Amino acid sequence: MTPITMTAMHAGEFRAAGTDLSERRRSGVSTGPLIDIAAAPDMMGMHWAADGSLRLGTFTTIAAIAADPSVAAAYPGIAASAQGLATPQIRHLATLGGNLAQRSRCWYFRNPHIACLKKGGSGCPARSGNHLYHVVFDLGPCVAPHPSTMAAALLAYDAKVTTDRRTSLTIADLLGDGSNGAADNALQPGEMIKSVELPAPLQGERALYKRAISRTYAEWPLVESCARAVIKDGAFQFVRLAAGGIAPAPLRLHAVEAALQDRKATAAVIANAAEQATSGAKPLPMTGYKLDLLKGVAHDLLERLAGLS
């Protein structure tokens, strides 16, 4: 999970922990020069502001985020998302910046002998090939889902990203809308993520994370979601749902949020809202099963947030 840019495969790539980059170099997918990056003070650690907001340096490890009690108290969806990804060994090395900027997990991309859009090719072989684990929201020429669990969680928290060139990038700014099939992110050549800023949590908010995977451990999710809510007087006063594993970038489930806003937190309202999770979905021939997974994950999270399960 090493921060990289939209540069071609033969160009230089940044290396921090190198958990993803090392794998790509072993397989022959990445062969260009390496640029080792040192952790500057403003790229390390967790920095709390007086208003309760938090700045996370890009070199902060996933394990540190998952284990920090203050993060768990203020941003439980962030902590749970960090705890859920990869393995303990990887979490102790992988960095926040690397997780956001990691490369596609698509098996066609990972095969050094197959051309694809992300390797300078002219098409997406997964679209007409085996795309069992790919998108259910078909938003562009590449049908590989974005692999970053932390990106989905940060999207739910309205996080902002700072690079060495730009400030206040949203997760959508950073990862794009899927229309550029050649890129995993919208970083410019040579641009590096420096930190992520989380706004202060809302009073009384709750948050949860859930993933659906094809095996019980150490797998990229088929569908995952981070959900936040403020429920007061029995009604949803605030709600955010973001999902990953379903599109070229993590998505806010706006239709679900709209179906819940200012509505009573009842089983019927939640069941109806969860059905809206697939609004706008355009599944591929082999990915229709993800529709039920997405609705199920949303339904479970919302019922748990409302204290109904």
Side-chain angles (χ1 to χ4, degrees):
M1 300 179 184
T2 298
I4 62 171
T5 69
M6 294 193 303
T7 52
M9 301 307 295
H10 63 273
E13 294 187 84
F14 291 127
R15 178 170 61 184
T19 55
D20 179 37
L21 179 58
S22 296
E23 178 188 332
R24 286 187 277 111
R25 292 185 74 83
R26 282 195 302 269
S27 68
V29 172
S30 293
T31 58
L34 297 178
I35 305 170
D36 287 307
I37 50 178
D42 61 346
M43 297 171 65
M44 298 178 64
M46 307 179 193
H47 307 274
W48 295 89
D51 65 355
S53 60
L54 173 63
R55 179 170 63 83
L56 294 164
T58 189
F59 271 83
T60 307
T61 65
I62 301 302
I65 295 170
D68 190 279
S70 296
V71 174
Y75 308 102
I78 298 291
S81 298
Q83 181 63 41
L85 70 87
T87 65
Q89 295 87 345
I90 290 175
R91 289 195 294 270
H92 276 85
L93 288 174
T95 62
L96 176 59
N99 186 269
L100 291 175
Q102 65 184 293
R103 299 305 310 264
S104 172
R105 303 304 307 179
C106 174
W107 38 52
Y108 293 101
F109 171 79
R110 295 280 162 168
N111 188 323
H113 306 296
I114 297 177
C116 77
L117 290 166
K118 286 182 166 55
K119 294 184 288 187
S122 60
C124 176
R127 183 175 289 279
S128 58
N130 187 340
H131 50 254
L132 182 64
Y133 295 162
H134 288 59
V135 303
V136 73
F137 286 79
D138 189 358
L139 304 179
C142 173
V143 298
H146 197 278
S148 176
T149 288
M150 297 309 297
L154 293 170
L155 180 64
Y157 278 90
D158 300 312
K160 297 294 178 64
V161 176
T162 294
T163 74
D164 56 353
R165 302 179 188 178
R166 294 179 286 173
T167 60
S168 296
L169 297 175
T170 65
I171 296 299
D173 293 333
L174 178 70
L175 300 182
D177 59 5
S179 60
N180 183 359
D184 290 301
N185 55 62
L187 291 170
Q188 300 163 2
E191 186 176 17
M192 183 172 21
I193 298 171
K194 295 185 68 176
S195 64
V196 175
E197 293 81 31
L198 289 162
L202 301 175
Q203 184 175 4
E205 78 166 81
R206 313 167 190 176
L208 293 166
Y209 167 79
K210 184 180 178 67
R211 58 171 42 195
I213 55 178
S214 60
R215 59 184 183 183
T216 58
Y217 192 59
E219 183 63 278
W220 272 263
L222 302 170
V223 170
E224 62 185 334
S225 182
C226 181
R228 302 168 60 206
V230 175
I231 299 173
K232 188 174 181 181
D233 299 326
F236 285 95
Q237 288 198 341
F238 171 89
V239 61
R240 287 282 189 278
L241 272 83
I246 59 172
L251 298 179
R252 281 267 303 279
L253 302 181
H254 292 288
V256 177
E257 297 170 0
L260 293 171
Q261 186 64 43
D262 299 321
R263 300 290 304 279
K264 289 293 184 180
T266 65
V269 167
I270 288 172
N272 175 70
E275 287 294 315
Q276 310 307 311
T278 58
S279 178
K282 294 186 289 184
L284 303 172
M286 299 173 69
T287 63
Y289 71 95
K290 285 193 175 187
L291 298 174
D292 288 335
L293 289 179
L294 181 58
K295 289 187 287 188
V297 167
H299 187 267
D300 181 64
L301 286 175
L302 293 169
E303 282 207 326
R304 288 165 58 196
L305 285 173
L308 300 179
S309 66

